[in-house]
Amino acid sequence: MELLLRLVALILRVVNLLLEPILARFGGPPRTEPFPVIQNELLRVPATELAERIRQGKARSVDVVRAYVLRIREVNPLINAVVEERFEDALGEAAEADERVAACGGDQEALEQLAKSCPLLGVPITVKESCSVKGLALTGGVVRRQNLTAEEDGEAVGRLRKAGAIPLLVSNTPEYCMAFESYNNVTGRTMNPYDPRRTSAGSSGGEGALIGAGASVCGVGSDLAGSIRIPALFCGIFGHKPSAGIVSIKGHMPVCTDAHFDQYLSLGPMCRYAQDLPLLLEIMSGPNASKLRLNEPINVDKLKIYYPQKLDLTVNAVPIAPEIRESLRSALKYFQNKGVYTEPLNFRYFCDSMQIASNSLQTLKDVPNVFASPKPNLFWELVKVVVRQSEHTFATIFMYLLSASKATVNEKNRARYRLMEAELKQEFTDKLATDGVFLMPSFPKPALRHYESFGHVTGFMYTMIINALGFPSTQVPLGFNRDGLPVGIQVVAGPNQDRLCLAVAQELEKAFGGWKSPK
């Protein structure tokens, strides 16, 4: 397996060398007009503060929802992130939320009870299309599914609704969430709000683009190999992948019947303001929230901050870009200047993350097949893609070919990588304990150009290894590079220590400014 992966990495390096100058020259014109400026100040208020204003009568849910509807209509032609909306129903639900507040008559006890039962009452949210919203599209970007709708809310979405949140729409994904760019033959391609020549990533790229564009305050994403964190990086927002098994994946499409699938796939919150992460995660976690102790106060100055002694993986087609390295150094320097304990770590098998993560995910059984036939003729599908007669994208076929490589791994090597995974997980768990976090890149580069991801698939191993280990991780924006593209890092903690990731994210937001609107 390792020899095969090294060969793949070498081929991809060559692909990158060939693709980069071509895409830079012919990847489309830069934006000539400034990105629409946010005019309504309600669009700059965190979700938790919006909920409080609505309860206290300082803002009406109808006005908040209407502001977001107008913003979505303003920017979606520029980013193409919406699959299907429910604006009329959302405005009706906003009016009902305002009536519930009015019925309290200003009684503080009644309002406090409302805050407990419906902490997000009247707050609009957006949802990745793969996370079912009753009555809205559930196509997964698959042509033969394009008329299908969700019969009920997914469990995590349902919990947010019960908490008073109002879904506005479902957002774009790659076909079957199987690629690293949000593009499919049903809805088309989603553009990055900071540069239309670049991708918002995948598979939660529609969410990333909407939130980054200031067209959503928070949303629901899903993450199997970085699908929350990479769009969050590319679009300059916060995204949290919870500890394995904490947030129910019921209602997600596609789903794997393997009993261990929820140890890899996670649903989690994406948002512009770090202060919203704890409440969103608590609501989405339902009965599992108690395991996370999210209300436990954290003194960030007393935490231990770890970071990798060596950043590059042994099998890597994409070296870490200087601005990503500088993001990590800046975060470390901030904590060091505060006197927080920092230490470089060199886990024995960390550099083998690609092999370990690939092997781990390939152990899943009954993985859903995007093709109509159980044994597709890939050569014929590729021919149809070239002549634009296939219902599938090239990215889908490309990812299918990569996943099919598991047939080349013998059981002896599988067993070896499983042992390496177990040792790496134990070392991480022991070292991070209940007071440590690990700062590391989530991807080697800022937002890629469209089509460039084909040569960068090994870069996703920086997030995929965290899924394989089942750890929580929060993507944190840390400013911009000289091209105006967002940069940042992910903050990793031990199992069920999500609160540490969120506390560090909030601290770094204060230090570096967090999300900033596209210019």
Side-chain angles (χ1 to χ4, degrees):
M1 180 181 182
E2 189 165 323
L3 182 61
L4 175 64
L5 289 173
R6 287 181 182 275
L7 178 61
V8 169
L10 179 61
I11 293 171
L12 292 177
R13 277 182 179 265
V14 175
V15 169
N16 288 338
L17 288 173
L18 295 173
L19 270 180
E20 192 167 347
I22 295 172
L23 294 176
R25 185 178 178 94
F26 301 106
R31 181 179 290 123
T32 55
E33 298 292 329
F35 200 79
V37 175
I38 292 176
Q39 302 290 350
N40 192 326
E41 286 306 307
L42 284 174
L43 300 177
R44 295 186 181 274
V45 181
T48 49
E49 289 187 25
L50 280 174
E52 178 66 18
R53 288 192 192 186
I54 291 168
R55 284 193 300 271
Q56 296 300 325
K58 296 177 181 178
R60 294 194 313 155
S61 176
V62 166
D63 293 333
V64 176
V65 169
R66 186 175 288 116
Y68 273 102
V69 168
L70 292 174
R71 179 67 177 174
I72 291 164
R73 286 175 172 161
E74 180 181 38
V75 303
N76 193 58
L78 303 175
I79 59 176
N80 188 39
V82 178
V83 176
E84 187 175 9
E85 47 88 355
R86 57 185 303 276
F87 295 157
E88 188 175 336
D89 288 342
L91 285 165
E93 291 166 14
E96 292 173 6
D98 290 332
E99 289 171 6
R100 290 185 67 180
V101 172
C104 294
D107 181 83
Q108 286 305 306
E109 186 175 338
L111 290 172
E112 287 174 10
Q113 183 57 42
L114 195 60
K116 289 180 181 178
S117 61
C118 294
L120 285 177
L121 183 66
V123 176
I125 63 170
T126 51
V127 181
K128 180 181 181 180
E129 194 218 23
S130 62
C131 308
S132 302
V133 175
K134 184 177 180 179
L136 293 189
L138 192 61
T139 67
V142 180
V143 170
R144 66 178 183 276
R145 291 179 55 95
Q146 60 187 305
N147 295 318
L148 295 181
T149 58
E151 295 181 358
E152 58 184 2
D153 290 333
E155 202 159 302
V157 173
R159 286 173 180 152
L160 288 166
R161 278 232 227 208
K162 189 175 179 181
I166 301 174
L168 296 178
L169 55 81
V170 287
S171 57
N172 204 28
T173 73
E175 189 177 5
Y176 253 67
C177 298
M178 277 185 63
F180 299 125
E181 293 190 37
S182 292
Y183 167 75
N184 60 68
N185 288 333
V186 178
T187 321
R189 184 182 309 282
T190 296
M191 271 71 73
N192 191 300
Y194 292 89
D195 185 341
R197 299 169 297 180
R198 297 179 184 270
T199 177
S200 62
S203 57
S204 306
E207 278 303 294
L210 282 165
I211 298 170
S216 173
V217 66
C218 60
V220 179
S222 62
D223 192 310
L224 179 63
S227 290
I228 286 175
R229 289 158 290 162
I230 307 303
L233 166 66
F234 284 14
C235 298
I237 64 172
F238 295 89
H240 181 70
K241 185 208 85 69
S243 293
I246 287 294
V247 177
S248 170
I249 64 172
K250 185 178 180 182
H252 188 272
M253 194 295 298
V255 68
C256 173
T257 57
D258 192 298
H260 302 292
F261 191 51
D262 68 349
Q263 297 301 299
Y264 299 99
L265 176 69
S266 291
L267 269 63
M270 303 172 71
C271 54
R272 280 184 279 145
Y273 303 103
Q275 74 180 65
D276 293 334
L277 288 170
L279 178 60
L280 291 167
L281 180 58
E282 181 178 21
I283 294 168
M284 293 175 70
S285 301
N288 287 327
S290 60
K291 298 177 182 178
L292 304 182
R293 309 199 310 277
L294 292 168
N295 296 318
E296 183 178 294
I298 302 294
N299 184 346
V300 175
D301 292 348
K302 300 296 182 183
L303 294 181
K304 297 174 181 175
I305 308 293
Y306 300 105
Y307 59 97
Q309 196 166 44
K310 182 179 179 182
L311 285 176
D312 292 307
L313 307 182
T314 54
V315 177
N316 187 22
V318 192
I320 302 289
E323 58 262 54
I324 299 296
R325 291 180 184 272
E326 183 57 33
S327 291
L328 180 57
R329 281 194 291 265
S330 296
L332 285 170
K333 186 176 180 180
Y334 169 75
F335 286 116
Q336 289 165 350
N337 288 342
K338 283 171 62 69
V340 179
Y341 178 86
T342 63
E343 178 187 342
L345 296 180
N346 186 21
F347 293 122
R348 183 179 177 190
Y349 294 125
F350 179 71
C351 288
D352 299 308
S353 291
M354 180 170 179
Q355 300 93 305
I356 293 170
S358 299
N359 183 73
S360 183
L361 289 182
Q362 287 172 3
T363 62
L364 290 171
K365 300 175 183 177
D366 300 320
V367 176
N369 185 1
V370 68
F371 299 100
S373 167
K375 293 184 178 180
N377 184 327
L378 294 181
F379 175 76
W380 181 238
E381 287 295 338
L382 284 171
V383 171
K384 289 196 292 183
V385 166
V386 171
V387 297
R388 303 195 176 202
Q389 295 300 310
S390 176
E391 69 174 61
H392 304 293
T393 62
F394 175 76
T396 300
I397 299 170
F398 178 76
M399 293 304 298
Y400 186 89
L401 286 167
L402 284 182
S403 64
S405 66
K406 65 182 179 181
T408 64
V409 184
N410 60 41
E411 186 53 40
K412 181 180 178 181
N413 281 334
R414 284 195 187 287
R416 180 166 66 92
Y417 286 123
R418 282 196 294 267
L419 287 173
M420 292 166 67
E421 177 188 345
E423 183 173 324
L424 181 60
K425 183 173 184 176
Q426 193 61 54
E427 284 186 344
F428 255 109
T429 302
D430 292 345
K431 193 68 177 178
L432 298 183
T434 60
D435 62 351
V437 295
F438 189 68
L439 309 186
M440 62 181 286
S442 46
F443 194 76
K445 298 174 69 174
L448 301 173
R449 295 179 184 274
H450 298 297
Y451 304 106
E452 199 176 1
S453 59
F454 294 113
H456 290 72
V457 291
T458 60
F460 291 86
M461 294 304 156
Y462 291 92
T463 48
M464 189 172 171
I465 185 61
I466 306 305
N467 293 76
L469 299 176
F471 294 161
S473 173
T474 304
Q475 171 62 35
V476 179
L478 295 177
F480 299 86
N481 71 358
R482 62 185 179 183
D483 296 319
L485 300 175
V487 295
I489 58 171
Q490 61 176 324
V491 181
V492 181
N496 294 347
Q497 306 301 316
D498 301 53
R499 66 191 183 284
L500 305 184
C501 299
L502 307 188
V504 171
Q506 291 179 68
E507 183 71 19
L508 289 173
E509 181 182 39
K510 287 188 290 185
F512 292 87
W515 168 83
K516 290 183 175 62
S517 180
K519 297 180 180 179

